[in-house]
Amino acid sequence: MTFIQNIKSSIYNPYFYQIELKNINFNYSFKYFLKLIFLISFILTIIFSYEVLPKFNSELKNIIINLNFFNFYPKDLIIQISNGELKINQPTPYFIKLPDVPNQEQQLDLNYLLVIDSDNEVSLEKFKNYKTLVLLTKRQMAYYDNSQKIIIQNYDFVKSFVINYEIINSFKKIVNILLKLAIPFIVIVLFIGFLLFNFFKVVYLLFFSFIILLILKILKYQVNYKKAYQIGLHSITLPVLFFSFLRVLKLSLNLNFVFSLITIVIILINFKNKNLNEEQRSSFAN
């Protein structure tokens, strides 16, 4: 039986459920379920990647633009913060011009990316007069956030800090490597997430198989717990497919109740006719 035929039979085929499953071992059904959730997870990953990756690429461009600012860090500049105070190895005030990169900084009428004035304290007037994106003073820093609001912060959160060109360059290399790996990482995370979510159904079946066992006992089928679990691996095919489709459409239902209800319906319609005649057996077998 091919995989597609297996899917069809797992949705509706009384002959498959009542006759064939008696002679099919548990491992066969478990492998079928793994193939099913692997395929579903693969398809969902492709679909949601088209939605997630463009948004990520937009953020990635902003990161790359900001990362390019590090290209303008002077090779001879060393910044040190110790005990809440900033020192540099250059005369102050020290200016780093704003690179010619299209960004919100252009809207602020700025001339400098960074100004260091380690001999003085921050004031709003001084910060605005410098026309800089970031101002570092002796004990505080001032900068524009993403909403162009001025933020003033002291260095109390920094115990000891040293930055120079070599450190910046090393940091750039690490970030560039991470950025190259980011997209495949997101795709892998999406796939693993969908796979684990669907694989959790094997835990769900540990409990739901008792309900399957009870239903089959009422319908006068003699099965044990293991066979009921095996039947469950096939009977959840339709609800797994259905809720995966809803996920694509971004619709939601009471997952546990509806999922279980669909599974029960699948079991009932495939086991309701206990005495299959030869013609029926032949038609289902084909």
Side-chain angles (χ1 to χ4, degrees), residues 13 23 41 67 98 101 117 157 188-189 195 201-202 217 235 253 267:
N13 189 335
N23 301 315
S41 300
L67 188 62
L98 188 71
V101 179
D117 187 355
F157 66 97
I188 292 172
V189 168
L195 192 62
K201 299 299 185 297
V202 301
K217 291 291 185 182
S235 61
L253 292 172
I267 292 171

Side-chain angles (χ1 to χ4, degrees), residues 5-16:
Q5 288 174 328
N6 231 328
I7 293 177
K8 292 179 179 179
S9 295
S10 296
I11 294 174
Y12 180 70
N13 189 335
Y15 179 81
F16 170 74

Side-chain angles (χ1 to χ4, degrees), residues 93-109:
Y94 188 90
F95 301 89
I96 299 177
K97 287 188 177 182
L98 188 71
D100 186 19
V101 179
N103 207 346
Q104 70 167 12
E105 290 81 10
Q106 298 286 348
Q107 304 171 13
L108 295 171
D109 188 27

Side-chain angles (χ1 to χ4, degrees), residues 7 14 31 53 68 84 114 177 236 238 250 285:
I7 293 177
K31 289 178 181 177
L53 291 182
N68 285 335
L114 173 66
I177 292 173
I236 64 174
L238 181 59
K250 298 182 179 178

Side-chain angles (χ1 to χ4, degrees), residues 111-161:
N111 296 327
Y112 299 101
L113 172 65
L114 173 66
V115 173
I116 305 173
D117 187 355
S118 59
D119 296 327
N120 296 294
E121 303 295 339
V122 167
S123 69
L124 287 177
E125 183 181 0
K126 185 184 294 291
F127 179 64
K128 292 178 179 179
N129 288 339
Y130 273 133
K131 292 189 175 182
T132 179
L133 180 63
V134 180
L135 171 63
L136 301 180
T137 64
K138 187 174 182 179
R139 294 186 181 86
Q140 292 177 306
M141 64 185 297
Y143 59 92
Y144 289 101
D145 66 4
N146 291 332
S147 61
Q148 300 183 7
K149 180 182 177 182
I150 298 175
I151 306 296
I152 297 177
Q153 189 171 8
N154 57 35
Y155 304 130
D156 291 345
F157 66 97
V158 181
K159 291 184 179 180
S160 180
F161 177 82

Side-chain angles (χ1 to χ4, degrees), residues 225-240:
Y225 174 82
K226 184 177 181 180
K227 187 57 69 173
Y229 191 100
Q230 183 180 0
I231 291 170
L233 289 172
H234 290 275
S235 61
I236 64 174
T237 295
L238 181 59
V240 167

